[in-house]
């Protein structure tokens, strides 16, 4: 392979590096109306009266809309394949506001100054209701977050709005209670992870306009162009054929832009006024009214023999979806289905969950999508088991980890056809010099250095659901145009798909021109989420290129008047080895521009009945100051099995970025609400993110397996990389202090107070 498994520079690298106008606001029309929303100051309230007359008189104000002006069609903002598992529980504007930050009115004006002034003048009288803020008390609470009768669930996910339930289920295999009762050692603990903000550099933003034909055009920083089209159709009550959605370059998403956070408001304004409009979230809005990670509490019971054989895992997850159910029924499943299967020889397992509504900001998709929370809990329990057994946690995992060829009952009975987890563990141990550093070393200055370990798995798309498509066309100059529906959100997916196409067609990667994510032009694609693009869309590219080569050979046979089976495709030309005759691709494409009944163009779609998991091992070395509780990351070693790494440089950057996000989740990112449900962390001054100074030394390597169902043997890498830091860091802190912290983030204050209490 000339390009796959090689470091190729991203196709958009120079434009981004040189600050070219590539993002939404760079390209938006200068005459757009500015759209903002007035937000509720209450966690639970009914709007009794809105006075907008004075605000409408502000010079430059185009329109102000309230709940009385919008369609009464309930919908979900979750970007998921229809029928969505997430309940239809939203209105564009609702008289019943359900969290501090819920939209109350839409204001559109000629400039930001006028809109800001109008927002201050609008007067609202609320009937303030008691909120449900504690997710542990939400299920079957007398206070209902969604009492409305037109709430509906399209899928059977155990949802019941009259019980504050967004989803509920139980699954498993074997007699968990009997096996646990027979185990020598049982770990029985509860773990708690808070919501986390994706904190991407580019906030939510959308431009809308009507084209020559009166169609609504939505130009948005989104991961899900086709889902946006359906969601806006549902919300506005207009046909999908009247909507076009496209995207620019995206300044980060990490799952946040798998939810239609901003699009619906300017879309409504443009549809009503006929004028172009745009909405750009402030950083404060992105903090208080977006789609963060789900808060989860996980109760783990894990049973083992004295020799370290893990026999049973019982996991119950309580997930907080907040005021609305976006991604609630789907994220929670990953907390069990992508943590329990890491252990391949269980005699029994059980996974149960409840997802509840509360009166806080609704949660959504974030890199790792529930697996991150579940892996923190299960891996922490395994590390506690190792400590209880006085056993090296690496050896404990080597004894129990899933291995290639095993069937994974807790992972929908899929086989582990490609699994280098054992090699990842061995290599990571070597890189960290684990045996010498484990568990800790007293530095003699009040500081302790210690190490921690965790392993993880994820998936490659949603099996039996996700669809990726690709159109490949030979142009008259002998080069290729590749059109895909997936959206590159900074990961470099346009580049890796071009690498695959270049190897399939034996040409230079520069010969592949990529166009992506436009509902009018691109073939259908579920979107850039669930770690699907490399595996799902990449296979579509591979299939399309193969068929185009066949088409080229047939046309060359016609042009040369020779049998197709005697011809060879050589990248730039088609050759007849026996006679030496050939025709270049440029000549061939030009020749058939006249009197031709078929085009040099192929579209192929791909879906997979399986979702082969990538695997990863992470090890961290920390230095902990016992006086202050300060934790410094000294070293982080990561070894990843993503099948064939299509572009090792981009895969490495993905891994490093995910690790740093995981460090933030473990140590710093602390969501806090007041007793009335107002989020305290509404800026980066209050919401601490890790910087370059907080990440220590990162070293990433790959242990390649070969996934037979993937393109060029590839699996995904985008999400798994965030999953190991939290349990590994919690483990290292326990090794340094002898104290287990089961709630994230583990701040220096928590550590210092716990050490002080331990000494008393």
């Amino acid at each position: 392979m000339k390009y796959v498994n090689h470091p190729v520079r991203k196709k958009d690298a120079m434009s981004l590096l040189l600050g070219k106008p590539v993002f939404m606001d760079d390209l938006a029309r200068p005459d757009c109306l500015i759209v903002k929303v007035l937000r509720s100051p209450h966690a639970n309230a009914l709007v009794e009266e809105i006075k907008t007359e004075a605000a409408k008189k502000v010079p430059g104000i185009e329109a102000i809309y309230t709940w009385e002006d919008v369609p009464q069609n309930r919908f979900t903002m979750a970007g998921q394949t229809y029928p969505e598992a997430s309940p239809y529980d939203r209105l564009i504007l609702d008289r019943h506001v359900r969290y501090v930050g819920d939209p109350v009115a839409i204001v559109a004006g000629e400039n930001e100054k006028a809109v800001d002034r109008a927002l201050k003048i609008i007067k609202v009288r609320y009937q303030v209701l008691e909120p449900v803020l504690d997710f542990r008390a939400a299920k079957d609470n007398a206070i209902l977050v969604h009492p409305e009768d037109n709430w509906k669930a399209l899928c059977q996910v155990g949802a019941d709005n009259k019980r504050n339930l967004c989803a509920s289920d139980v699954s498993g295999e074997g007699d968990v209670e009997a096996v646990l009762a027979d185990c020598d050692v049982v770990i029985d603990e509860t773990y708690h992870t808070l919501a986390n903000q994706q904190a991407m550099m580019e906030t939510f933003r959308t431009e809308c306009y009507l084209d020559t034909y009166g169609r609504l055009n939505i130009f948005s920083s989104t991961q899900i162009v086709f889902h946006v089209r359906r969601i806006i159709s549902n919300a506005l009550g207009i046909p999908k054929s009247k909507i076009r959605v496209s995207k620019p370059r995206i300044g980060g998403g990490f799952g946040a832009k798998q939810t239609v956070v901003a699009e619906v408001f300017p879309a409504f304004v443009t549809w009503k006024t006929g004028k172009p409009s745009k909405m750009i979230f402030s950083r404060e809005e992105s903090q208080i009214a977006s789609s963060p990670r789900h808060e989860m509490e996980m109760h783990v019971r894990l049973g083992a023999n004295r020799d370290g054989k893990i026999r049973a895992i019982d996991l119950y997850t309580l997930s907080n979806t907040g005021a609305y159910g976006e991604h609630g029924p789907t994220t929670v499943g990953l907390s069990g289905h992508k943590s329990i299967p890491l252990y391949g020889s269980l005699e029994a397992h059980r996974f149960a969950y409840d997802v509840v509504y509360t009166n806080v900001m609704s949660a959504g998709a974030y890199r790792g999508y529930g697996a991150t929370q579940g892996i923190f809990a299960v891996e922490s329990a395994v590390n506690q088991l190792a400590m209880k057994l006085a056993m090296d946690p690496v050896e404990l995992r080597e004894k129990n980890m899933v291995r290639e060829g095993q069937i994974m009952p807790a992972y929908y009975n899929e086989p582990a056809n490609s699994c280098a987890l054992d090699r990842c563990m061995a290599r990571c141990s070597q890189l960290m010099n684990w045996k010498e550093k484990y568990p800790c070393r007293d530095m003699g200055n009040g500081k302790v250095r210690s190490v921690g370990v965790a392993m993880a798995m994820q998936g490659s798309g949603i099996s039996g659901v996700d669809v990726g498509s690709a159109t490949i066309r030979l142009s008259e100059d002998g080069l290729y145009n590749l059109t895909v529906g997936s959206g590159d959100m900074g990961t470099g997916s346009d580049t890796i798909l071009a690498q695959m196409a270049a190897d399939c067609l034996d040409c230079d990667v520069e010969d592949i021109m990529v166009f992506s994510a436009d509902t009018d032009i691109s073939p259908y694609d579920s979107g850039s989420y669930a770690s699907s693009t490399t595996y799902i869309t990449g296979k579509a590219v591979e299939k399309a290129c193969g068929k185009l080569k066949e088409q080229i050979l047939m046309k060359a046979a016609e042009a040369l008047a020779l049998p197709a089976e005697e011809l060879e495709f050589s990248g730039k030309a088609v050759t007849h080895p026996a006679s030496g005759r050939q025709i270049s691709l440029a000549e061939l494409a030009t020749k058939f521009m006249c009197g031709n009944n078929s085009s040099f163009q192929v579209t192929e779609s791909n879906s997979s009945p399986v979702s082969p998991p990538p695997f990863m091992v992470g090890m961290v070395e920390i230095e902990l100051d016992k006086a202050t509780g300060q934790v410094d990351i000294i070293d982080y070693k990561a070894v990843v099995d993503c099948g064939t790494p299509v572009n090792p440089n981009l895969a490495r950057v993905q891994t490093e970025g995910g690790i740093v996000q995981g460090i933030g989740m473990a140590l710093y990112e602390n969501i806090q609400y007041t007793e009335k449900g107002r989020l305290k962390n509404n800026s980066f001054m209050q919401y601490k993110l890790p910087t370059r100074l907080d990440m220590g030394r990162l070293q990433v390597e790959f242990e390649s397996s070969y996934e037979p169902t993937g393109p060029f043997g590839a699996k995904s890498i985008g999400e798994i990389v965030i999953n190991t830091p939290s349990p590994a860091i919690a483990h290292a802190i326990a090794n340094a202090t002898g104290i287990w912290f089961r709630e994230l983030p583990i701040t220096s204050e928590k550590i210092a107070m716990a050490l002080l209490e331990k000494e008393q």
Side-chain angles (χ1 to χ4, degrees):
M1 295 179 291
K2 185 178 177 183
Y3 291 108
V4 170
N5 204 19
H6 289 80
V8 173
R9 190 174 72 185
K10 285 177 63 180
K11 282 190 165 286
D12 57 0
M14 294 310 295
S15 292
L16 295 170
L17 183 65
L18 298 175
K20 299 292 185 182
V22 297
F23 299 107
M24 194 289 293
D25 202 31
D26 299 327
L27 304 170
R29 287 157 178 72
D31 59 342
C32 284
L33 295 173
I34 303 301
V35 178
K36 293 191 178 186
V37 296
L38 180 70
R39 299 188 180 278
S40 168
H42 305 293
N44 193 15
L46 293 174
V47 176
E48 292 190 333
E49 184 182 31
I50 306 181
K51 293 183 179 180
T52 62
E53 293 78 10
K56 287 178 179 177
K57 293 177 182 177
V58 172
I61 291 300
E62 175 73 23
I64 298 177
Y65 303 103
T66 71
W67 66 273
E68 296 177 293
D69 303 310
V70 301
Q72 297 300 299
N73 312 313
R74 292 220 174 256
F75 63 97
T76 177
M77 287 186 176
Q80 298 173 310
T81 299
Y82 180 86
E84 303 96 327
S86 300
Y88 279 27
D89 54 14
R90 288 262 191 183
L91 293 176
I92 299 172
L93 296 173
D94 202 329
R95 186 187 174 200
H96 186 172
V97 288
R98 296 174 172 84
Y99 72 97
V100 176
D102 215 354
V104 175
I106 304 170
V107 179
E110 295 173 0
N111 57 72
E112 191 168 9
K113 185 177 180 180
V115 172
D116 287 343
R117 185 179 174 195
L119 286 169
K120 292 176 182 177
I121 295 174
I122 296 171
K123 302 298 181 187
V124 186
R125 188 173 79 247
Y126 297 94
Q127 178 188 344
V128 180
L129 307 173
E130 185 179 350
V132 180
L133 299 176
D134 182 358
F135 77 126
R136 298 176 184 89
K139 182 179 174 182
D140 294 322
N141 197 297
I143 301 168
L144 295 180
V145 179
H146 284 277
E148 65 271 13
D149 292 330
N150 60 350
W151 176 99
K152 62 180 179 181
L154 276 62
C155 298
Q156 296 298 315
V157 293
D160 186 346
N161 62 315
K162 303 302 183 183
R163 300 181 62 199
N164 282 337
L165 272 179
C166 181
S168 183
D169 193 25
V170 181
S171 61
E173 185 175 90
D175 190 335
V176 168
E177 298 299 337
V179 176
L180 287 173
D182 190 51
C183 288
D184 298 324
V185 180
V186 174
I187 302 297
D188 187 337
E189 299 289 356
T190 299
Y191 304 86
H192 182 207
T193 62
L194 299 183
N196 303 124
Q197 289 287 356
Q198 295 89 347
M200 60 280 174
M201 291 179 70
E202 182 195 38
T203 61
F204 302 96
R205 52 195 60 202
T206 300
E207 178 206 17
C208 298
Y209 62 93
L210 297 183
D211 64 20
T212 307
Y213 305 101
R215 297 174 72 229
L216 178 61
N217 280 245
I218 300 171
F219 186 56
S220 186
S221 183
T222 180
Q223 303 170 216
I224 46 162
V225 292
F226 286 95
H227 294 332
V228 170
R229 182 177 63 175
R230 182 186 65 255
I231 293 165
I232 299 300
S233 170
N234 290 342
L236 271 58
I238 62 176
K240 288 188 279 291
S241 59
K242 289 187 177 292
I243 303 169
R244 175 187 181 185
V245 184
S246 57
K247 59 162 278 296
R249 309 316 292 173
I250 299 177
F254 308 116
K257 294 171 183 175
Q258 195 193 335
T259 302
V260 180
V261 174
E263 288 86 347
V264 67
F265 304 109
F268 179 74
V269 168
T270 293
W271 191 249
K272 293 288 283 187
T273 66
K275 296 183 178 182
S277 67
K278 70 177 180 181
M279 185 175 196
I280 296 179
F281 271 45
S282 65
R283 180 58 64 185
E284 180 179 355
E285 286 181 299
S286 292
Q287 288 291 110
I288 68 168
S290 54
S291 56
R293 189 185 296 285
H294 288 73
E295 176 186 19
M296 291 187 187
E297 184 176 82
M298 292 138 293
H299 179 204
V300 180
R301 292 192 300 160
L302 184 149
N305 291 340
R306 286 192 183 85
D307 64 359
K309 174 71 170 65
I310 298 175
R311 299 175 58 192
I313 298 177
D314 183 23
L315 173 64
Y316 169 73
T317 300
L318 178 65
S319 178
N320 184 3
T321 194
Y324 300 97
E326 280 92 24
H327 302 279
T330 42
T331 50
V332 70
L334 276 66
S335 69
H337 294 306
K338 293 184 180 174
S339 59
I340 298 171
L342 283 166
Y343 297 92
S345 302
L346 299 176
E347 296 170 38
H349 73 272
R350 179 169 57 201
F351 173 42
Y353 58 77
D354 289 313
V355 183
V356 293
Y357 284 113
T358 60
N359 291 114
V360 299
M361 171 176 41
S362 57
Y366 184 7
R367 191 179 208 165
Y369 203 79
T372 313
Q373 297 96 307
I375 286 169
F376 167 66
V378 170
E379 285 299 276
S380 292
V382 171
N383 282 328
Q384 287 185 246
L385 173 66
M387 188 174 284
K388 197 165 186 178
L389 293 172
M391 188 173 183
D392 187 318
V394 168
E395 294 176 9
L396 178 64
R397 285 177 171 83
E398 288 172 338
K399 183 185 286 282
N400 292 283
M401 67 173 61
V402 65
R403 294 177 183 267
E404 190 162 288
Q406 286 186 308
I407 300 295
M408 299 175 282
Y411 191 60
Y412 317 106
N413 286 309
E414 285 193 20
N417 288 325
S418 56
C419 177
L421 187 56
D422 53 346
R423 288 187 277 122
C424 290
M425 184 64 75
R427 180 58 179 154
C428 204
S429 299
Q430 184 182 33
L431 292 173
M432 180 56 79
N433 197 9
W434 177 266
K435 288 190 179 297
E436 286 191 19
K437 293 181 178 179
Y438 173 75
C440 64
R441 295 165 291 158
D442 193 316
M443 306 305 290
N445 57 356
K447 297 181 180 181
V448 178
R449 288 200 176 185
S450 60
V451 290
V453 61
M455 58 189 194
M457 61 179 281
Q458 195 73 35
S460 300
I462 305 172
S463 56
V465 173
D466 282 349
V467 175
S469 302
T471 299
I472 187 78
R473 177 170 62 87
L474 177 67
S475 63
E476 58 267 32
D477 56 2
L479 306 182
Y480 300 94
N481 296 92
L482 175 64
T483 306
V484 293
S486 60
D488 190 330
M489 54 177 170
T491 58
S493 63
D494 285 354
T495 304
I496 65 164
L497 295 175
Q499 288 177 249
M500 293 182 194
D503 271 345
C504 289
L505 295 167
D506 195 21
C507 66
D508 294 334
V509 74
E510 291 80 11
D511 293 348
I512 308 290
M513 270 52 71
V514 183
F515 181 86
S516 62
D518 184 324
T519 58
D520 268 15
I521 299 168
S522 305
Y524 176 77
D525 193 287
S526 302
S528 297
Y529 61 89
S531 301
S532 63
T533 303
T534 299
Y535 177 73
I536 298 291
T537 308
K539 196 66 175 180
V541 169
E542 189 180 59
K543 289 161 67 175
C545 290
K547 287 203 172 180
L548 182 62
K549 280 175 66 173
E550 294 175 10
Q551 199 177 87
I552 289 170
L553 286 168
M554 292 300 294
K555 287 293 184 181
E558 186 179 334
L560 295 171
L562 290 167
E565 60 271 18
E566 295 181 12
L567 301 179
E568 289 184 0
F569 180 87
S570 62
K572 296 289 185 184
V574 176
T575 304
H576 186 240
S579 65
R581 293 177 61 196
Q582 71 172 26
I583 184 169
S584 72
L585 297 186
E587 289 177 285
L588 189 65
T590 303
K591 178 180 179 61
F592 283 97
M593 289 175 67
C594 179
N596 184 26
N597 291 317
S598 62
S599 65
F600 286 105
Q601 179 171 303
V602 172
T603 298
E604 281 290 315
S605 293
N606 179 60
S607 189
S608 175
V610 295
S611 177
F615 296 94
M616 176 178 175
V617 171
M619 291 184 177
V620 67
E621 181 180 14
I622 66 167
E623 183 172 86
L624 187 145
D625 188 325
K626 288 191 172 183
T628 64
Q630 172 68 28
V631 172
D632 292 317
I633 306 295
I634 303 300
D635 220 346
Y636 203 101
K637 308 294 188 185
V639 184
V640 186
D641 162 23
C642 58
T644 301
V646 178
N647 187 316
N649 278 7
L650 295 181
R652 183 169 289 104
V653 170
Q654 285 275 293
T655 307
E656 291 171 350
I659 289 169
V660 174
Q661 286 178 312
I663 290 170
M665 179 180 178
L667 296 177
Y668 307 119
E669 298 179 42
N670 196 11
I671 288 286
Q672 299 163 302
Y673 284 93
T674 68
E675 60 183 13
K676 293 192 175 181
R678 182 181 293 275
L679 182 67
K680 295 179 181 180
N681 319 94
N682 62 2
S683 79
F684 287 164
M685 294 297 290
Q686 291 82 27
Y687 189 76
K688 163 68 174 167
L689 293 167
T691 70
R692 181 62 187 86
L693 299 176
D694 301 311
M695 57 190 272
R697 294 187 300 268
L698 304 185
Q699 184 177 356
V700 176
E701 289 193 5
F702 300 97
E703 281 290 337
S704 297
S705 60
Y706 185 89
E707 173 51 48
T709 64
F712 295 90
K715 299 185 287 188
S716 75
I717 193 169
E719 292 183 275
I720 187 174
V721 293
I722 199 172
N723 292 338
T724 60
S726 290
I729 290 170
H731 185 210
I733 291 171
N735 284 332
T737 63
I739 303 169
W740 283 100
F741 293 87
R742 300 180 184 91
E743 180 180 74
L744 301 180
I746 310 170
T747 62
S748 57
E749 181 183 9
K750 289 179 184 178
I751 297 170
M753 293 300 102
L755 285 170
L756 195 61
E757 186 177 334
K758 182 182 177 182
E759 291 172 3
Q760 292 175 349

